[in-house]
Amino acid sequence: MIPLSVLDLAPITEGGTAADSFRNTLDLAQHAERWGYQRYWLAEHHGMRGIASAATAVVIGHVAAGTQHIRVGAGGVMLPNHSPMVIAEQFGTLESLFPGRIDLGLGRAPGSDQATARALRRDLQSDSDQFPQDVVELQHYFAPVQPGQTLRAVPGAGLNVPLWILGSSTFGAQLAAELGLPYAFASHFAPAQMLSAIAIYRARFKPSAQLAKPYVMLGFNVFAAETDAAGQFLFSSLQQAFVNLRSGRPSMLQPPVDGYADRLQAPERSMIEQALSCAAVGSPDTVRRAMQTFLDQTGADELMLTSQIYDHAARLRSYQITAELRADLQRR
């Protein structure tokens, strides 16, 4: 069966708090573990009113401590915001606390606006152009300590923390292929270069100590409910979030609205249709067909599902329905 995983943006809903978000995150992770999901990832964002996972390593520890066997990780850490040594120590600590369960996905976007990025880093000397060198440096800190080595991550050195390259363009595909690392593409919000990136990654992949052959995980939105209408209703919260974000007014996750997309101007409707085209929305049959079509199109090795649903019970139900469909999905 195709492995299914969870990407949680730890949404802060309108009227809710970050504390509410963290309680919901742990509850979803515990349910996902019972339903057979492969891994549970959290994403680094900063200065976003509707996203609570800024201190990503801390939230990963919270989730790992409250679960038993599901893999937990970052999808991802935005490496230009940090020194590789700091990330090696953080994830070396997590791997020491929860051995064999920690993943480290790495991205080169800031996960914030420029003002917030400057506040995080104090200066912008560390930027996305250094990303490949930073990944290699991070790999060095996780490798066994060599004679005469002066810089070492403690904990971190010699620990098996799988690295992933995240991307929304062909840049990450080329880097993941060159380093022989698994590749996760952000098709759940930036699908334009998805097929090109997959083709480049698979064609140029070089086997490594971590990975013998290409492995592609794709982000995918799922809003599963009992009926198509109910799924479309839930989907409107994510549609609102994208319109607000692209309009320069990011917000908390809003309650769903009937017929929201129908009331948008043509440019806004076109934007969300393109950005959110990798999605399965509706009844179980509708969701199954959409997921199978996506798998046939991409040949993905794993799907990373995200469901930005306002009501927590409806969010749980969406993931439960999707887990029940997994046996019907066929990999190409």
Side-chain angles (χ1 to χ4, degrees):
M1 291 190 291
I2 181 79
L4 300 180
S5 295
V6 176
L7 174 62
D8 182 9
L9 298 184
I12 304 175
T13 59
E14 184 67 35
T17 66
D20 297 328
S21 174
F22 296 140
R23 282 191 290 270
N24 289 341
T25 282
L26 181 56
D27 187 51
L28 175 57
Q30 291 169 340
H31 280 84
E33 183 171 67
R34 291 197 292 271
W35 292 330
Y37 282 89
Q38 177 87 354
R39 62 188 92 239
Y40 195 101
W41 279 9
L42 293 128
E44 176 185 348
H45 293 82
H46 299 279
M48 304 284 285
R49 294 177 58 222
I51 299 177
S53 53
T56 315
V58 178
V59 187
I60 289 170
H62 171 63
V63 171
T67 52
Q68 298 297 317
H69 57 78
I70 193 170
R71 297 194 66 88
V72 188
V77 160
M78 300 299 105
L79 197 52
N81 293 335
H82 313 278
S83 78
M85 171 69 88
V86 168
I87 297 305
E89 291 175 339
Q90 289 179 0
F91 281 78
T93 299
L94 288 167
E95 176 63 23
S96 298
L97 290 168
F98 310 104
R101 296 182 56 206
I102 301 300
D103 295 328
L104 176 49
L106 302 168
R108 69 181 184 120
S112 63
D113 56 56
Q114 285 299 302
T116 304
R118 184 171 286 106
L120 285 165
R121 308 177 206 171
R122 293 301 184 189
D123 62 58
L124 296 180
Q125 291 179 356
S126 176
D127 59 33
S128 59
D129 293 336
Q130 294 178 245
F131 181 64
Q133 295 91 331
D134 287 345
V135 173
V136 172
E137 182 180 343
L138 182 56
Q139 287 182 309
H140 173 73
Y141 291 135
F142 283 126
V145 174
Q146 300 300 307
Q149 181 177 330
T150 56
L151 284 176
R152 62 182 68 184
V154 182
L159 296 182
N160 180 24
V161 179
L163 301 186
W164 293 67
I165 299 297
L166 278 56
S168 57
S169 70
T170 58
F171 179 92
Q174 296 174 65
L175 180 61
E178 177 66 27
L179 297 178
L181 296 176
Y183 182 51
F185 190 87
S187 36
H188 59 295
F189 74 88
Q193 298 187 54
M194 175 185 68
L195 293 178
S196 296
I198 293 171
I200 288 170
Y201 171 68
R202 287 176 173 153
R204 301 185 185 180
F205 181 84
K206 298 179 180 179
S208 68
Q210 179 177 329
L211 193 64
K213 61 182 182 178
Y215 193 92
V216 174
M217 178 162 63
L218 300 177
F220 193 72
N221 298 289
V222 175
F223 290 75
E226 307 310 320
T227 66
D228 286 348
Q232 290 291 340
F233 179 65
L234 298 175
F235 189 40
S236 67
S237 292
L238 180 60
Q239 293 172 324
Q240 292 176 75
F242 259 81
V243 170
N244 291 341
L245 180 63
R246 297 291 174 88
S247 303
R249 42 186 175 84
S251 64
M252 294 181 175
L253 191 64
Q254 301 296 305
V257 175
D258 271 321
Y260 173 76
D262 296 334
R263 298 198 293 272
L264 294 174
Q265 297 296 316
E268 292 178 327
R269 189 181 308 114
S270 177
M271 179 272 292
I272 61 173
E273 286 175 354
Q274 190 280 327
L276 305 178
S277 60
C278 293
V281 181
S283 68
D285 281 346
T286 299
V287 167
R288 178 186 52 77
R289 288 194 298 270
M291 292 180 71
Q292 186 62 61
T293 298
F294 186 70
L295 288 171
D296 292 343
Q297 178 190 28
T298 63
D301 297 294
E302 185 172 340
L303 296 183
M304 175 65 73
L305 307 180
T306 182
S307 301
Q308 290 284 83
I309 294 174
Y310 179 83
D311 179 72
H312 182 60
R315 190 177 182 217
L316 290 176
R317 180 59 181 147
S318 179
Y319 277 107
Q320 182 182 19
I321 289 171
T322 310
E324 292 167 353
L325 298 174
R326 183 173 51 233
D328 296 328
L329 300 174
Q330 302 294 322
R331 278 190 279 189
R332 189 174 63 186

